[in-house]
Amino acid sequence: QVQLVESGGGLVQPGGSLRLSCVASGSFFSIYTMGWYRQAPGKQRELVARITSSGSTNYADSVKGRFTISRDVAKNTLYLQMNSLKPEDTAVYLCNAAYYTYDYWGKGTLVTVSS
């Protein structure tokens, strides 16, 4: 069983930056593929960025060059550095841990980009 707790969301002006964190409890954090997803009001949940156990990453086209995903295995923590934020980045950001049939979600943290 893995529990995920996100933090770091908030209100930021367009062009600003935020760093989201996701702390994972439980064992074997390093074996999971970890991801950040987001869900805006009235829209489907979408993948923002993902990092595998080997460190390979992939990003949604809409965030490439602006967002960076990373993980600190020693701290059981996943990060999402978000730069040059846009109003369309406004959403609840959720952390995910996946390994074969195991699939865990956090409750999310709200990011609001507005002037």
Side-chain angles (χ1 to χ4, degrees), residues 9-31:
L11 174 64
V12 63
Q13 292 187 341
S17 298
L18 282 175
R19 189 176 81 155
L20 305 183
S21 299
C22 171
V23 178
S25 66
S27 303
F28 309 114
F29 171 75
S30 62
I31 70 172

Side-chain angles (χ1 to χ4, degrees), residues 29-45:
F29 171 75
S30 62
I31 70 172
Y32 287 89
T33 290
M34 302 295 298
W36 287 101
Y37 290 72
R38 66 187 181 188
Q39 187 161 18
K43 295 188 177 180
Q44 288 191 331
R45 186 175 296 182

Side-chain angles (χ1 to χ4, degrees), residues 1-110:
Q1 185 77 12
V2 174
Q3 291 184 325
L4 304 172
V5 180
E6 303 96 334
S7 63
L11 174 64
V12 63
Q13 292 187 341
S17 298
L18 282 175
R19 189 176 81 155
L20 305 183
S21 299
C22 171
V23 178
S25 66
S27 303
F28 309 114
F29 171 75
S30 62
I31 70 172
Y32 287 89
T33 290
M34 302 295 298
W36 287 101
Y37 290 72
R38 66 187 181 188
Q39 187 161 18
K43 295 188 177 180
Q44 288 191 331
R45 186 175 296 182
E46 64 174 354
L47 174 68
V48 176
R50 185 164 48 203
I51 184 167
T52 68
S53 58
S54 63
S56 297
T57 60
N58 64 287
Y59 296 89
D61 287 343
S62 59
V63 307
K64 281 181 182 177
R66 300 189 297 122
F67 291 11
T68 302
I69 190 171
S70 62
R71 65 196 296 171
D72 186 331
V73 174
K75 295 182 178 181
N76 273 20
T77 303
L78 177 73
Y79 301 101
L80 184 68
Q81 178 65 46
M82 306 187 294
N83 300 326
S84 302
L85 283 160
K86 304 175 181 180
E88 51 264 42
D89 294 319
T90 295
V92 173
Y93 284 71
L94 303 109
C95 177
N96 173 261
Y99 181 73
Y100 289 99
T101 59
Y102 296 96
D103 192 40
Y104 302 101
W105 291 90
K107 294 183 179 180
T109 185
L110 177 63

